Amino acid sequence: MRKQDLTTQSMVQMAMFTAVLSILSVLQIPMPSGVPLTLQTFAVALCGSVLGAWAGAGSVALYIAVGAAGIPVFAGMKAGIAVLVGPTGGFLFGFLFLAWLCGAGAGRNKILATGLGLAGLACCHLAGVAGFILATGAGPLQAVVTVSLPYLIKDALSVAAAVQAGALLRKRLASVYVFK
């Protein structure tokens, strides 16, 4: 996002989507791996799909900063630097790639937008697996089997649904807001 693109309106939009991401992150189903089932993936993909690449990633960066500052917005109402360096921290940073790539597909045909969203999901899972390995000392295969494979179908469906919903929402809001 260029400096001249950072308007009051775009900052408000980013803050609103940070709030949506925060709310959908708190709701969780705990899993034995320590990586819970949440609606974060859907919310992150929606941020990018509606706001575009830079504002979507900015919204996620704000979410990470708010959580790092101690406000309990991460899954299970957790917060702090310890979460960012813990078993799920890699996924939180991977959300930046997911939002950016979903945003890069915003306003394009649905097949390209979904493909870019799924590429972002792959980047997110790679970052998540790497973070899990660093935090737990697990081997690569164990990490993939523990924190990536069980979530892939749910996450792919979440991204596809968010890209479609984002395209609809973006179109409906275009008469009210300007999206970059």
Side-chain angles (χ1 to χ4, degrees), residues 99-170:
W100 196 91
L101 283 166
C102 284
R108 301 180 191 274
N109 74 57
K110 290 180 182 180
I111 293 172
L112 178 60
T114 303
L116 286 168
L118 292 174
L121 179 62
C123 292
C124 181
H125 271 252
L126 286 172
V129 166
F132 187 81
I133 290 168
L134 290 172
T136 65
L141 181 60
Q142 179 189 3
V144 167
V145 169
T146 304
V147 298
S148 183
L149 286 180
Y151 303 90
L152 276 177
I153 293 173
K154 188 255 332 159
D155 286 351
L157 291 173
S158 293
V159 168
V163 167
Q164 302 308 311
L168 254 171
L169 190 56
R170 188 177 171 92

Side-chain angles (χ1 to χ4, degrees), residues 33-85:
S33 66
V35 178
L37 284 173
T38 68
L39 293 174
Q40 283 176 305
T41 306
F42 175 83
V44 168
L46 189 65
C47 288
S49 295
V50 174
L51 298 176
W54 292 108
S59 183
V60 173
L62 179 59
Y63 165 75
I64 293 169
V66 166
I71 299 172
V73 294
F74 298 143
M77 295 195 72
K78 294 180 183 169
I81 300 296
V83 177
L84 296 177
V85 298

